[in-house]
Amino acid sequence: MNWPGIIAHYRRHLPVDDNTQIVTLQEGDTPLIPVPRFVNAIGGRFQLHIKLEALNPTGSFKDRGMTMAVTAAKTRGAKILVCASTGNTSASAAAYAARAGLTAAVVLPHGKIAMGKLAQALIYGARIVPVDGNFDDALNVVRALGDQPGVEIVNSINPFRIEGQKTAAFEICDTLGRAPDRHYIPVGNAGNITAYWQGFKEYHAAGTIRTLPQIFGWQAAGAAPIVENRVIEHPETVATAIRIGNPASWRQAGAARDESGGVIGSVSDGEILRAYQLIAASEGIFVEPASAAALAGVIKTQEQGGIPADSLLTATLTGHGLKDPDTAISVSDQLIKPVPPTLSAVLQAIQG
Ligand SMILES: *Cc1c(COP(=O)(O)O)cnc(C)c1O
């Protein structure tokens, strides 16, 4: 059967009815991949399966929320979708706007445009509007735009995004036939951790799963407001998708941690990049640094006393590594320089 996208597949769990005109790129149904070589490499005896959200249509999990947000916007008669984001949200909004025949506008601080991800927004035909100000100024303009007729905000504050994103938790349980013991996930604006916890709880209430996982969320050490319990004025990390100093869903993330008996911890950029390299080299899975924060969290909890040998863990790998090729090249220590075109020289170069 051709997978119809998350809304059609999970429609009885989502705020749609039979007349809803669904805007979809057939997102979701991403693979849940066991990674035994990664687990071995860190000395673990547990099972870890990664939910490869990089394989959504625009290369990140944002598509799950965007299909729902854009479907709702279109139902309400919106003509313009706006967001303030230099990253995966703008890429996803631009793609779903194109799919819906709507206009997407991305408002950004001037000079802070990350060209790698913005390439997607541009090719999908979004209007890019740089403003003279910082990210908060851009977000304030977006909020004001939301009051204009026909304009819909698709930033993290849009509640439909959480609804769509919770379907990843459903998929994990449907694939495993149960809930994992623990779920690991990176935390930025904290919408996704909120969505997963909501999804697990809904399946539990419906009797689809008998147990609930503990939720283990991970922030970057230079952008860890929830861990430090204070707003971070100038968040800094190599993991740009989680460089957030004042998360929109802060309270809900704390609730997911506390209700599940889990943890929200932080990992340094060094730990993130180590996990980033290890999952690629040990398993052939290339994700962006923010995604690797979840795996750095697995390594950290393993090193800090171990993860029970028979436990079943899942981790969300949120975005594709190709979005940020500069980081991949910068962490490589290979010298790429030409050698003579002879068998002996090339063999010698291969053997290092
Ligand atoms: C948006 C994003 C995150 C953070 O998700 P939140 O819902 O903001 O916590 C993590 N990784 C990637 C790749 C993202 O695009």
Side-chain angles (χ1 to χ4, degrees):
M1 191 197 71
N2 191 14
W3 173 264
I6 59 141
I7 298 179
H9 189 84
Y10 289 111
R11 66 164 65 239
R12 43 191 195 92
H13 299 277
L14 294 170
V16 290
D17 62 36
D18 291 346
N19 300 320
T20 305
Q21 298 265 319
I22 297 171
V23 180
T24 180
L25 284 161
Q26 292 168 238
E27 60 297 308
D29 194 27
T30 55
L32 188 69
I33 307 176
V35 288
R37 287 174 51 84
F38 177 86
V39 174
N40 253 333
I42 65 170
R45 305 277 309 279
F46 51 89
Q47 279 189 63
L48 173 63
H49 298 228
I50 56 119
K51 184 68 170 159
L52 195 53
E53 289 291 276
L55 296 190
N56 277 297
T58 75
S60 85
F61 75 84
K62 297 295 196 299
D63 295 340
R64 290 181 188 273
M66 208 55 74
T67 181
M68 206 47 254
V70 176
T71 294
K74 182 135 181 156
T75 303
R76 287 208 280 245
K79 298 280 177 272
I80 301 176
L81 309 177
V82 294
C83 66
S85 158
T86 52
N88 291 325
T89 294
S90 54
S92 187
Y96 282 80
R99 188 76 168 159
L102 305 177
T103 299
V106 179
V107 182
L108 296 166
H110 178 59
K112 299 239 172 79
I113 300 176
M115 284 317 286
K117 288 177 185 177
L118 212 67
Q120 288 182 287
L122 287 169
I123 197 75
Y124 296 133
R127 297 296 308 168
I128 312 296
V129 188
V131 293
D132 286 320
N134 61 23
F135 191 81
D136 286 335
D137 298 326
L139 197 58
N140 284 337
V141 175
V142 164
R143 284 183 205 272
L145 278 169
D147 296 331
Q148 298 287 308
V151 177
E152 198 81 26
I153 300 173
V154 295
N155 265 90
S156 300
I157 50 177
N158 182 313
F160 289 102
R161 292 211 9 220
I162 307 269
E163 289 293 321
Q165 286 169 206
K166 75 186 178 187
T167 60
F170 296 163
E171 288 180 18
I172 288 173
C173 298
D174 289 345
T175 303
L176 294 174
R178 53 166 286 193
D181 296 314
R182 295 182 181 183
H183 183 72
Y184 284 68
I185 187 168
V187 176
N189 257 313
N192 215 25
I193 190 174
T194 301
Y196 272 75
W197 183 234
Q198 187 174 322
F200 286 125
K201 282 198 297 187
E202 284 182 21
Y203 254 26
H204 190 247
T208 311
I209 52 174
R210 283 175 212 281
T211 59
L212 284 166
Q214 291 177 291
I215 304 291
F216 283 66
W218 299 92
Q219 300 194 297
I226 300 176
V227 176
E228 294 181 23
N229 199 24
R230 65 184 178 97
V231 171
I232 307 296
E233 294 293 343
H234 301 288
E236 262 317 322
T237 169
V238 65
T240 52
I242 54 172
R243 192 169 63 198
I244 305 283
N246 188 6
S249 300
W250 188 324
R251 186 183 54 75
Q252 296 90 323
R257 172 196 58 205
D258 298 341
E259 290 170 24
S260 74
V263 167
I264 295 180
S266 66
V267 282
S268 69
D269 279 6
E271 290 169 321
I272 289 170
L273 292 176
R274 179 182 161 213
Y276 170 75
Q277 289 176 286
L278 185 59
I279 193 64
S282 67
E283 300 282 7
I285 293 169
F286 182 27
V287 294
E288 63 177 286
S291 309
L295 296 173
V298 173
I299 297 173
K300 180 159 255 182
T301 43
Q302 167 66 14
E303 285 174 352
Q304 283 179 346
I307 295 169
D310 53 353
S311 54
L312 174 58
L313 274 53
T314 50
T316 303
L317 299 195
T318 46
H320 206 290
L322 285 173
K323 286 172 177 277
D324 188 4
D326 293 347
T327 301
I329 292 166
S330 72
V331 298
S332 169
D333 55 11
Q334 269 203 61
L335 281 181
I336 302 182
K337 69 176 208 306
V339 300
T342 64
L343 178 62
S344 61
V346 171
L347 263 181
Q348 201 186 348
I350 290 170
Q351 284 156 356

